[in-house]
Amino acid sequence: MNASEIRQKYLDFQSSKGHRVIAPAPLVLENDPTTLFTGSGMQPLLRYLLGEPHPDGTRLTDSQPCLRLQDIEDVGDPRHTTVFEMLGNWSLGDYFKKEQIENYFEFLTKIIGLDPNKIFVTCFIGSEKYGIPKDIEAAEIWQSVFKKAGIDAKIAEIDTAENGDKRGIKDGERIFFYNDKENWWSRGGGIETTPIGDPCGPDSEVFYDFGEDKQDVEKYGKSHPASDGARFMEIGNQVFMQYRRNEDGTFSELEHKNVDFGGGLERLAAAQMGSFDVFKTSLMQPIIKKLEQLSGKSYDNNTDEMRIICDHLRGAYLLAAQGLAPSNKAQGYALRRLIRRAILKALDLGIAQDFLKETISTIESEYKSLPDSILTNRDHALEILEKEEKVFRKTLNKGLKELKRMASRRGEKSPSSGDPDKSARPQALEAKLSGYDVFTLQDTYGFPMEISVEEAYKEGIKLSKDWKQEFDAALQEQRERSKTASKGMFKGGLEDHGEQTTKYHTATHLLLAALQKHVSSDICQKGSNITADRMRFDFNCDHKLSPEELKQVEDQVNEWIKADLPVAFAEYDKEYAKNVLKAHGQFWDKYPEKLKVYTVGNENSPVSREVCGGPHVEHTGVLGQFKIQKEESSSAGVRRIKAVLE
Ligand code: SER
């Protein structure tokens, strides 16, 4: 049975049980700013789960493409994917636990033929704190269902998954009670983090057992359904959505009790074929085979790379087919990241030529069943991806040139002109490439850290001893700067900052220095956010800035711009930077022992001296006209300035 057949059988089966098949929603939901992408089948149905009548009745079913970028780092193992199809069925105040459990068991064992002996389940242990009872009802329904299949299913109580790893499974145990980390479902995860106003409830998860020989006790402890490792795989989650979270944190019963079932098609297909590896299913194999052919390497010896490429290309195709274009913002950035990560992994396999089009075209047919109302841009998807591939290959070439330039420049320029005390940084002088350089390559040129390290090795370019710490410090700085903009949204990874953001970055240093000079010397940076179009800067200050103060600050920045001051950096010992140079810094306790300091103006009496990973312009003259657009309160004792460079 291939995955398409399983999808069809599921929808037919649910139809036979009175469910109406509804069209899946797009991956980018128009009216839901809480996530970038549709991450579960219930998400588009939220308002109906909260009580609004659905035009198609009280029993619904669909197959919903989902994208969960939060899982991106886990991709590479046999079962995690960022993109997946979630088979779903819902009861909106209609049937409840008994009918759901019986139906799903019937589907698994009778319709797609899974062996009932290989099915294990979990239920919620209850929460005393919130007055939510242990789900004995669900456990007893499971017992009777197993009994009809001739299985005496015993119940085990494991409060936390960690306990379970020591305890394992005892004779005949098949139904496991866990706490809210495992068996409570809300869009926020566990019970404490359930969002206010959201529907939620205890859940009962279903697992497929691939056999005791798949457990790796040394690595994961003893297996039990919710443990890590290859033995058990979750193949369905039945949420008994009977609560809603109140403003005061408590939970009230919903007037109508709902069932929200979701099961990953990829995983069901894998269980059905007896493979613990979802990348062996018909949904993935065409891509894997193509990668084997292009690289001349086998999947079995290159699983991690091929899984990542396969996963990311499926996601990239779905997004492009829905009309999304790669960009540096939100969903477009996620698409860009998927494509670029896939290209980099392919390089690891030795695939250096353009390969997206021919690889992705192998799975176009898998998505035939998705309606045109979602895949509105199906016909142009491959073109979009191909274009981005070409752009990224150019970026890679440019980054490589820049890396070599940096290394040779550092080789000649020793000691650097911006360093008043050579003895403060003997180690950094020996290295040709520092972690800050590696960060600049990634941040400004989109040239990934891994590639820099690899290229440096190949070219015999020496990296500084603490390069990783330096890199992390620069990354940390940058994350702090972009925190406000990306709060609650996907962030991290490769970013492309063009010239414009580099200019704003330097302007930020000038603005801080001007505030310190004209408003108060105690002013520190409290946050910063830069896009290609504007800058936002938060700082401590006990009063609203007067129009005169604002004018002085603005004029000061423009004066420094006009003076075309040099911008230089050098690496120092932390101690020296802090106490001797008195450089401005926000995270002294987090910085590594060696750090990078940017100076604007004359070395001996600079206008600004800050710890910073860069990048910056080389002369302030290129910044243009600095204009403050707004000054406002950000939070208690913190003011915010919005400004542009014109
Ligand atoms: N909402 C649940 C999940 O995402 C079941 O569909 O797992």
Side-chain angles (χ1 to χ4, degrees), residues 39-43 49 66 68 84 86-90 185-187 203 205 234 236-239 241 260-263:
S40 63
M42 61 74 74
Q43 209 174 321
L49 292 162
C66 296
R68 291 188 181 171
F84 61 98
M86 191 183 266
L87 300 178
N89 63 265
W90 293 272
W185 202 90
S186 79
R187 292 197 300 164
D203 67 29
E205 299 184 359
E234 184 195 326
N237 186 8
Q238 335 192 61
V239 185
M241 221 167 229
D260 160 32
F261 168 81

Side-chain angles (χ1 to χ4, degrees), residues 20-41:
R20 184 72 74 88
V21 181
I22 55 172
L27 272 174
V28 179
L29 285 176
E30 266 172 30
N31 299 317
D32 188 345
T34 57
T35 51
L36 287 180
F37 298 109
T38 304
S40 63

